[in-house]
């Protein structure tokens, strides 16, 4: 997991609430990514950012939002519009070719 | 579009025996291929990658993988399995000319090593 931290480790949300997942890195990597992991489906790309103040939608961006105001930080907001938010969320950075992952946040909607 | 197939949901092997976890891929252009391992409720750990060069790639913890372009495969191997190798393994790919550099993952293969 190296220099990538994610918080909280576990998060519980009531339906209709927005929640924000934190991702911080001290690897000095420009690009950062958010993936969602569901059982039996592997990881799917939500959003990514190649540089500060720029970000792009991934394959499953609906119901999510991000910001990239600092190189070290790439928070993900799960909005009430996300129909099935219960999942394991993983943040990653990239060093030339290789992606490195944080420890993840498990979000459960009650 | 790029895709990865891991045809086995689970692989069972006895400790000390060789193991193979299969992966095939589809991508435009030259593939960049990766293997990651995940332990319960943890992030993914990088094991090894193929970018260019020798088809046999060696990685962490004694794992290796063979790139086969004609069969579009990148199977993960280890000569002698350990109980501690039991985990979830993911194969991933991206095209070399993909600007976003995001990975496409397979659905994962659970490796169970029996003592």
């Amino acid at each position: 997991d190296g220099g990538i931290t994610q918080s909280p480790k576990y998060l519980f949300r009531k339906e209709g609430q927005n929640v924000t997942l934190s991702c911080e890195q001290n690897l000095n990597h420009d690009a950062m990514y958010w993936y969602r992991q569901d059982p039996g489906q592997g990881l799917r790309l939500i959003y990514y950012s190649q540089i500060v103040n720029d970000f792009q939608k991934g394959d499953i961006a609906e119901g999510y939002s991000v910001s990239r105001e600092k190189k070290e930080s790439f928070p993900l907001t799960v909005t009430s519009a996300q129909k099935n938010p219960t999942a394991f969320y993983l943040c990653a950075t990239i060093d030339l070719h290789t992606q490195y992952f944080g420890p993840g946040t498990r979000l459960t909607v009650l | 579009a790029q895709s990865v197939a891991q045809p086995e949901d689970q692989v069972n092997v006895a400790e000390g025996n060789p193991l193979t976890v299969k992966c095939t891929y589809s991508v435009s252009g030259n593939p960049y291929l990766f293997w990651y391992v995940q332990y319960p409720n943890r992030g993914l750990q990088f094991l090894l990658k193929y970018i260019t060069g020798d088809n046999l790639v060696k990685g962490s913890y004694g794992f290796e993988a063979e790139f086969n372009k004609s069969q579009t495969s990148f199977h993960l191997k280890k000569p002698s399995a350990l109980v501690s190798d039991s985990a979830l393994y993911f194969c991933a790919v991206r095209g070399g000319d993909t600007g976003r550099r995001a990975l496409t993952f397979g659905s994962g293969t659970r490796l169970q090593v029996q003592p």
Side-chain angles (χ1 to χ4, degrees):
Chain A
D1 300 339
I4 304 171
T5 58
Q6 291 187 242
S7 61
K9 186 174 176 65
Y10 298 97
L11 185 57
F12 298 90
R13 190 195 92 174
K14 294 182 180 179
E15 285 197 23
Q17 285 182 334
N18 293 354
V19 290
T20 297
L21 283 58
S22 169
C23 177
E24 303 279 332
Q25 57 111 351
N26 62 6
L27 301 171
N28 201 35
H29 291 165
D30 287 318
M32 298 185 73
Y33 302 78
W34 274 105
Y35 290 90
R36 169 184 171 136
Q37 183 179 13
D38 295 283
Q41 293 191 43
L43 280 69
R44 292 180 289 168
L45 181 67
I46 304 172
Y47 266 98
Y48 64 101
S49 168
Q50 305 258 40
I51 198 168
V52 174
N53 292 322
D54 184 62
F55 50 83
Q56 305 294 330
K57 292 182 179 180
D59 301 321
I60 55 165
E62 184 175 353
Y64 300 98
S65 66
V66 294
S67 63
R68 186 84 188 278
E69 297 176 2
K70 298 186 299 181
K71 187 175 186 177
E72 300 79 17
S73 179
F74 190 40
L76 174 74
T77 296
V78 184
T79 75
S80 57
Q82 169 48 232
K83 293 186 175 9
N84 186 18
T86 294
F88 191 49
Y89 290 87
L90 289 157
C91 176
T93 68
I94 190 166
D95 175 15
L96 188 57
H97 298 303
T98 303
Q99 289 204 353
Y100 297 97
F101 287 81
T105 292
R106 185 165 298 281
L107 172 63
T108 303
V109 174
L110 303 173
Chain B
Q2 51 198 40
S3 64
V4 175
Q6 293 182 243
E8 302 152 317
D9 290 336
Q10 181 156 327
V11 169
N12 297 307
V13 64
E15 187 174 31
N17 282 2
L19 69 89
T20 298
V21 182
K22 295 179 180 176
C23 171
T24 59
Y25 66 90
S26 174
V27 70
S28 299
N30 294 322
Y32 291 4
L33 293 154
F34 303 82
W35 276 101
Y36 288 85
V37 61
Q38 186 180 37
Y39 296 95
N41 290 311
R42 301 291 297 274
L44 272 65
Q45 287 180 237
F46 169 72
L47 281 179
L48 51 80
K49 67 185 175 188
Y50 172 83
I51 304 298
T52 188
D54 290 341
N55 289 343
L56 184 63
V57 178
K58 294 188 183 297
S60 306
Y61 313 118
F63 284 94
E64 58 189 29
E66 187 165 12
F67 169 61
N68 188 316
K69 187 173 184 178
S70 63
Q71 296 186 6
T72 60
S73 67
F74 190 56
H75 302 329
L76 181 70
K77 301 182 180 184
K78 188 174 182 181
S80 178
L82 299 172
V83 172
S84 57
D85 292 331
S86 299
L88 187 58
Y89 289 80
F90 288 99
C91 181
V93 70
R94 73 170 175 94
D97 58 353
T98 302
R100 69 183 194 177
R101 298 187 292 166
L103 298 175
T104 296
F105 286 83
S107 57
T109 298
R110 188 164 301 281
L111 175 65
Q112 193 70 40
V113 181
Q114 287 117 6

